[in-house]
Amino acid sequence: MRVTAAVLYDTKKPVVVEDVELLEPGPGEVLVRWKANGVCHSDLHVITGDYPHPLPVVLGHEAAGVIEKVGPGVVTVTPGDHVCSSYIPSCGKCWYCIGGQPTMCALRDKPRWFMLDGTPRFRKDGRGLHHFLQVSGYATHSVLPEESVIPIRKDAPLEVVCLVSCGVLAGAGPVFNRAKVPLGASVAVWGCGGVGLNTIQAARLVGAAKIIAVDTVKQKLAWAEEFGATHVVDASAEDPVARVQALSGRGGVDFAFEVVGTQKTIEQALNATHRGGTCVVVGVSPAGTRVSVDPGMLLQQRVLTGSSFGAGHQRTDVPMLIDLYMSGKYKLDELISRRLPLTELNHAFDLMVRGEVKRSVIVYD
Ligand code: CU
């Protein structure tokens, strides 16, 4: 079938929105008609070349839509089902999935730019186009492995809950799954964009007493307060480590979340924890990034760890966050600054780079 997709042919060049061919779903695969896809920094990392990826590629990994067709052997979804994309698949059968760590699923070891049989479903002029994280949500339709879609309730607005498919779960999950932040804890969050605002919001939901937001952009600090920050620190105006330590009242916070993805901010976040504290890295750093850690910090029982797609169980965490949103307990509408058609995807990336939006969503008719 002919579908419209945004294709990246070269790094540092605009994506090209054009008609491409999409092959039928094979065994164990599903055809999804996307309703919406959120605009995320991870896509941009591929465009800038910070995250090397085979080209050409149809990007997009924060999508929600409706199952249009299923290939032979698919059992977990049927046509008409509403789904969120799962940029980390979970097979439910491997050592990791059975052991309770489905975000570490063994399917991650396979090339993520093809279907599981090692071939693409997108074609242009007879040439295959790569998929992105087996999702490719910057297209009106795509084919995914069954393991890469998560069924969700049908009364949730797809153009809103698509955000849960990456930024929301990636930001909120580390709070309740990885750090398991307890009632009354002190938390600091480096980076208050479309992901970090979810870390702040989740910390508020679990009852953190102090939620200190750190950013260099004043607008983002104002957003942080709307989403639950109790204190804000402008890292462009003062040393954020010293300020967070002072605000904590204990020489450092219980939990620091790094939602930027740079050497400097990871080191700052770790250094802002007190003895025995925990630093969770959520931000995606450009390939080749390294951090410097004073081993003395670790001898004082600090924990430096990270989180993939919420570090929990994506198949239950995504519906759970949607339930919280639908019952009015989780802000999603407020995360969406702009709704744009696919033809304005390049503009949407510009808006994100300029820090002018919490999240933009590409919406399909
Ligand atoms: Cu993302």
Side-chain angles (χ1 to χ4, degrees):
M1 67 188 285
R2 293 200 74 73
V3 304
T4 305
V7 185
L8 179 72
Y9 286 96
D10 285 301
T11 55
K12 300 183 175 71
K13 293 270 169 61
V15 297
V16 179
V17 177
E18 60 185 2
D19 282 355
V20 304
E21 190 190 346
L22 181 63
L23 305 180
E24 292 284 302
E29 296 169 6
V30 300
L31 168 67
V32 183
R33 177 169 55 83
W34 296 124
K35 180 71 185 171
N37 187 103
V39 180
C40 178
H41 267 101
S42 303
D43 300 305
L44 187 65
H45 281 329
V46 177
I47 296 174
T48 58
D50 285 336
Y51 181 94
H53 193 282
L55 302 175
V57 59
V58 180
L59 294 170
H61 63 281
E62 186 176 88
V66 181
I67 299 280
E68 200 139 276
K69 199 172 197 178
V70 301
V74 169
V75 292
T76 55
V77 286
T78 53
D81 283 354
H82 290 200
V83 293
C84 276
S85 61
S86 185
Y87 70 85
I88 292 178
S90 56
C91 71
K93 298 171 200 148
C94 71
W95 187 84
Y96 292 104
C97 284
I98 293 169
Q101 291 184 291
T103 59
M104 301 291 108
C105 179
L107 291 180
R108 292 180 65 163
D109 295 331
K110 296 200 168 208
R112 308 293 311 286
W113 43 82
F114 291 138
M115 293 296 100
L116 297 174
D117 69 358
T119 63
R121 297 293 167 270
F122 288 111
R123 284 183 172 278
K124 178 72 181 175
D125 301 330
R127 172 191 189 194
L129 304 174
H130 295 90
H131 296 245
F132 186 52
L133 300 173
Q134 288 153 339
V135 175
S136 296
Y138 293 138
T140 55
H141 303 70
S142 66
V143 167
L144 297 79
E146 177 181 16
E147 292 86 350
S148 299
V149 293
I150 298 172
I152 59 166
R153 56 195 279 177
K154 283 188 175 170
D155 59 345
L158 292 167
E159 72 281 10
V160 176
V161 300
C162 65
L163 298 184
V164 182
S165 303
C166 173
V168 171
L169 179 53
V175 172
F176 49 82
N177 288 324
R178 195 74 176 135
K180 296 186 166 58
V181 172
L183 191 66
S186 59
V187 166
V189 178
W190 260 255
C192 306
V195 181
L197 291 173
N198 291 288
T199 312
I200 290 166
Q201 178 165 208
R204 179 181 57 78
L205 268 178
V206 301
K210 273 184 191 159
I211 304 172
I212 306 166
V214 182
D215 208 295
T216 54
V217 180
K218 284 209 165 49
Q219 174 65 70
K220 292 189 176 180
L221 293 172
W223 292 334
E225 287 184 308
E226 287 169 32
F227 280 75
T230 58
H231 303 76
V232 297
V233 175
D234 182 349
S236 70
E238 58 185 329
D239 172 14
V241 177
R243 185 73 182 133
V244 168
Q245 286 170 334
L247 286 168
S248 74
R250 293 200 186 92
V253 285
D254 300 331
F255 301 96
F257 295 89
E258 196 280 344
V259 200
V260 182
T262 68
Q263 176 189 1
K264 183 174 159 187
T265 46
I266 293 169
E267 291 173 1
Q268 287 176 340
L270 175 67
N271 292 338
T273 60
H274 58 56
R275 290 189 299 280
T278 296
C279 173
V280 184
V281 175
V282 180
V284 179
S285 300
T289 302
R290 295 290 181 272
V291 295
S292 170
V293 177
D294 173 357
M297 300 287 283
L298 303 179
L299 290 178
Q300 293 170 347
Q301 295 182 203
R302 286 178 185 81
V303 174
L304 175 59
T305 185
S307 170
S308 264
F309 200 20
H313 298 72
Q314 59 269 52
R315 287 187 178 277
T316 49
D317 284 345
V318 166
M320 179 271 285
L321 285 161
I322 292 174
D323 282 347
L324 283 172
Y325 162 69
M326 293 298 284
S327 60
K329 296 189 173 72
Y330 198 96
K331 292 181 205 276
L332 288 185
D333 298 301
E334 294 83 348
L335 278 171
I336 301 172
S337 302
R338 296 287 296 272
R339 288 181 168 81
L340 300 159
L342 188 62
T343 48
E344 288 188 48
L345 180 57
N346 291 305
H347 178 53
F349 284 124
D350 290 342
L351 291 172
M352 183 170 64
V353 170
R354 297 208 296 262
E356 291 176 13
V357 290
K358 286 170 267 187
R359 214 60 161 177
S360 295
V361 174
I362 300 299
V363 182
Y364 305 99
D365 301 326

PDB file of all heavy atoms in Angstrom, residues 75 80 82 91 243 248 342:
ATOM      1  N   VAL A  75      -1.615 -12.929  18.174  1.00  0.00           N
ATOM      2  CA  VAL A  75      -2.665 -13.327  19.125  1.00  0.00           C
ATOM      3  C   VAL A  75      -3.056 -12.235  20.121  1.00  0.00           C
ATOM      4  O   VAL A  75      -4.128 -12.296  20.713  1.00  0.00           O
ATOM      5  CB  VAL A  75      -2.251 -14.589  19.922  1.00  0.00           C
ATOM      6  CG1 VAL A  75      -2.188 -15.802  19.000  1.00  0.00           C
ATOM      7  CG2 VAL A  75      -0.922 -14.391  20.630  1.00  0.00           C
ATOM      8  N   GLY A  80      -8.815  -2.965  14.829  1.00  0.00           N
ATOM      9  CA  GLY A  80      -9.706  -2.107  15.604  1.00  0.00           C
ATOM     10  C   GLY A  80      -9.171  -1.802  16.991  1.00  0.00           C
ATOM     11  O   GLY A  80      -9.596  -0.834  17.625  1.00  0.00           O
ATOM     12  N   HIS A  82      -6.895  -0.306  19.866  1.00  0.00           N
ATOM     13  CA  HIS A  82      -6.065   0.885  20.011  1.00  0.00           C
ATOM     14  C   HIS A  82      -4.758   0.486  20.686  1.00  0.00           C
ATOM     15  O   HIS A  82      -4.765  -0.316  21.627  1.00  0.00           O
ATOM     16  CB  HIS A  82      -6.780   1.945  20.855  1.00  0.00           C
ATOM     17  CG  HIS A  82      -7.944   2.563  20.161  1.00  0.00           C
ATOM     18  ND1 HIS A  82      -8.485   3.775  20.523  1.00  0.00           N
ATOM     19  CD2 HIS A  82      -8.681   2.142  19.100  1.00  0.00           C
ATOM     20  CE1 HIS A  82      -9.489   4.069  19.728  1.00  0.00           C
ATOM     21  NE2 HIS A  82      -9.645   3.095  18.866  1.00  0.00           N
ATOM     22  N   CYS A  91       8.876  -9.555  24.556  1.00  0.00           N
ATOM     23  CA  CYS A  91       8.399 -10.802  23.962  1.00  0.00           C
ATOM     24  C   CYS A  91       7.627 -11.641  24.963  1.00  0.00           C
ATOM     25  O   CYS A  91       6.847 -12.512  24.593  1.00  0.00           O
ATOM     26  CB  CYS A  91       9.574 -11.601  23.394  1.00  0.00           C
ATOM     27  SG  CYS A  91      10.648 -12.306  24.677  1.00  0.00           S
ATOM     28  N   ARG A 243      23.483  24.823  45.126  1.00  0.00           N
ATOM     29  CA  ARG A 243      22.128  25.300  45.440  1.00  0.00           C
ATOM     30  C   ARG A 243      21.213  24.140  45.839  1.00  0.00           C
ATOM     31  O   ARG A 243      20.449  24.250  46.800  1.00  0.00           O
ATOM     32  CB  ARG A 243      21.568  26.030  44.205  1.00  0.00           C
ATOM     33  CG  ARG A 243      20.235  26.677  44.443  1.00  0.00           C
ATOM     34  CD  ARG A 243      20.354  27.918  45.323  1.00  0.00           C
ATOM     35  NE  ARG A 243      19.047  28.484  45.575  1.00  0.00           N
ATOM     36  CZ  ARG A 243      18.602  28.871  46.770  1.00  0.00           C
ATOM     37  NH1 ARG A 243      19.389  28.791  47.836  1.00  0.00           N
ATOM     38  NH2 ARG A 243      17.394  29.364  46.898  1.00  0.00           N
ATOM     39  N   SER A 248      18.323  21.159  50.000  1.00  0.00           N
ATOM     40  CA  SER A 248      17.943  19.843  50.532  1.00  0.00           C
ATOM     41  C   SER A 248      17.917  19.843  52.058  1.00  0.00           C
ATOM     42  O   SER A 248      17.183  19.068  52.669  1.00  0.00           O
ATOM     43  CB  SER A 248      18.931  18.773  50.053  1.00  0.00           C
ATOM     44  OG  SER A 248      20.155  18.914  50.748  1.00  0.00           O
ATOM     45  N   LEU A 342       2.235  16.243   9.585  1.00  0.00           N
ATOM     46  CA  LEU A 342       3.538  15.645   9.266  1.00  0.00           C
ATOM     47  C   LEU A 342       4.382  16.549   8.377  1.00  0.00           C
ATOM     48  O   LEU A 342       5.609  16.574   8.497  1.00  0.00           O
ATOM     49  CB  LEU A 342       3.319  14.281   8.594  1.00  0.00           C
ATOM     50  CG  LEU A 342       4.575  13.430   8.353  1.00  0.00           C
ATOM     51  CD1 LEU A 342       5.264  13.064   9.673  1.00  0.00           C
ATOM     52  CD2 LEU A 342       4.233  12.171   7.560  1.00  0.00           C
TER      53      LEU A 342
END
